């Protein structure tokens, strides 16, 4: 979003004619397809179906002490970030409110990664971030979700591999976190995210597009770390698109290959 010259009014850029990204890839119907195939969205639809008993209003009341930040819920605390990893995913989070927020942010990144399309790697991710008693359920449900049809919807081969000459992009970037309920060994954390999904390549019919969504995770303290019990998602908050020119397929592929992801911690 940008402001009009000296007017203070919002200027919205309208779509340009004949300017489809990646050499003419059409984007008609892309929004419905994207909401169907976004990795995080699929995870949400399945995981949300796993029932989890309500912990009770008394034990889950939000902790809003005088020292809780108000206007900047994810302001840096000065605490040392975690420096350990389990199967490549940050682990060993603090057993407190801050630790729960940091865990949720990192887990959002893992669940929205391209690695979720690989069965072996997906199982490792779930075993690392899901509460132990529900790992098997999550694995079985996601195995049913990552079908050849699903892979084709995002532009991959039936077996989930990337077509030759293309770069598959699936990334989730947390923008901020907020604890909405917590107790000694449980926390509900919302993570506002931006996501990228698509294929970078000259002949791609699924160019990399951006989405905005908020993930809500119920976390439980298990095995000396925070683990996911339930997971849900809703669209937005979504900013007005800016005036930037869409990058070419080569530029997008190069960026994905050259820019690594982050380890998040408050």
């Amino acid at each position: 979003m940008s402001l009009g010259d000296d007017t203070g009014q919002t200027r919205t850029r309208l779509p340009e004619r004949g300017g489809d990204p990646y050499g003419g890839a059409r984007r008609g119907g892309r929004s419905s397809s994207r909401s169907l195939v976004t990795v995080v969205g699929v995870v949400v639809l399945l995981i949300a179906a796993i029932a989890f008993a309500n912990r009770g209003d008394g034990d889950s009341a939000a902790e809003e002490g005088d020292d809780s930040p108000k206007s900047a819920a994810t302001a840096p605390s000065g605490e040392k970030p975690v420096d350990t990893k389990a199967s490549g995913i940050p682990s060993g989070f603090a057993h407190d409110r801050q630790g729960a927020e940091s865990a949720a942010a990192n887990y959002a990144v893992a669940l929205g990664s391209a690695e979720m399309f690989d069965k072996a790697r997906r199982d490792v991710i779930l075993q690392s971030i899901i509460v132990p008693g529900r790992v098997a359920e999550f694995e079985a449900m996601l195995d049913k979700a990552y079908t050849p049809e699903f892979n084709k919807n995002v532009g991959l081969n039936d077996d989930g591999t990337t077509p030759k000459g293309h770069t598959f992009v699936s990334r989730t970037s947390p923008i901020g976190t907020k604890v909405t309920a917590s107790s000694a060994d449980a926390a509900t954390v919302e993570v506002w995210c931006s996501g990228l999904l698509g294929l970078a390549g000259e002949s791609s019919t699924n160019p990399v597009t951006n989405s905005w969504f908020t993930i809500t995770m119920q976390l439980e303290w298990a095995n000396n770390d925070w683990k996911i019990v339930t997971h849900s998602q809703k669209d937005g908050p979504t900013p007005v698109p800016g005036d930037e020119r869409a990058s070419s397929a080569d530029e997008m592929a190069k960026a994905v290959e050259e820019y690594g992801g982050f380890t998040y911690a408050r």
Side-chain angles (χ1 to χ4, degrees):
M1 183 173 70
S2 60
L3 300 180
D5 296 339
D6 300 323
T7 65
Q9 296 180 342
T10 300
R11 181 181 61 188
T12 302
R13 184 182 183 183
L14 298 177
E16 298 178 0
R17 297 176 180 267
D20 292 339
Y22 302 174
R26 297 191 58 80
R27 301 182 65 173
R30 177 64 174 169
S31 59
S32 59
S33 174
R34 180 176 179 79
S35 27
L36 171 67
V37 302
T38 299
V39 179
V40 177
V42 171
V43 175
V44 167
L45 290 173
L46 296 174
I47 295 179
I50 300 177
F52 178 62
N54 193 320
R55 294 183 175 276
D57 294 335
D59 293 337
S60 300
E63 295 179 351
E64 296 293 343
D66 293 337
D67 59 345
S68 298
K70 305 301 186 214
S71 60
T74 50
S77 66
E79 295 290 337
K80 183 178 180 181
V82 297
D83 57 4
T84 57
K85 288 189 176 183
S87 303
I89 301 172
S91 62
F93 298 99
H95 190 181
D96 56 20
R97 183 190 188 103
Q98 174 188 304
E101 289 185 83
S102 186
N106 281 284
Y107 296 166
V109 173
L111 289 172
S113 69
E115 292 180 317
M116 289 291 289
F117 287 80
D118 178 89
K119 162 63 177 172
R121 182 57 186 160
R122 180 169 69 248
D123 286 350
V124 169
I125 291 174
L126 295 178
Q127 290 163 12
S128 299
I129 69 177
I130 303 298
V131 67
R134 298 189 180 272
V135 170
E137 294 174 86
F138 281 31
E139 289 180 350
M141 298 181 82
L142 289 179
D143 286 347
K144 294 179 181 179
Y146 285 86
T147 63
E149 291 76 17
F150 175 79
N151 292 331
K152 289 172 64 176
N153 280 337
V154 297
L156 298 174
N157 296 321
D158 289 356
D159 60 358
T161 57
T162 303
K164 185 177 180 180
H166 294 77
T167 299
F168 179 56
V169 183
S170 181
R171 285 195 185 185
T172 292
S173 299
I175 305 301
T177 59
K178 178 178 66 174
V179 173
T180 59
S182 63
S183 63
D185 294 321
T188 300
V189 183
E190 294 183 359
V191 187
W192 180 30
C193 304
S194 176
L196 298 176
L197 181 69
L199 276 181
E202 290 299 336
S203 60
S204 172
T205 57
N206 292 291
V208 180
T209 57
N210 174 249
S211 63
W212 293 82
F213 46 91
T214 299
I215 298 172
T216 299
M217 297 183 192
Q218 283 189 320
L219 303 176
E220 180 180 281
W221 187 254
N223 294 343
N224 295 316
D225 212 347
W226 291 107
K227 303 291 183 180
I228 297 174
V229 180
T230 63
H231 184 289
S232 62
Q233 177 184 315
K234 62 182 180 181
D235 293 338
T238 303
V240 176
D243 292 336
E244 296 82 6
R245 173 188 63 84
S247 297
S248 68
D250 287 342
E251 289 175 320
M252 184 60 66
K254 185 177 180 181
V256 172
E257 293 169 355
E258 293 183 349
Y259 293 89
F262 291 103
T263 294
Y264 291 85
R266 293 188 55 205

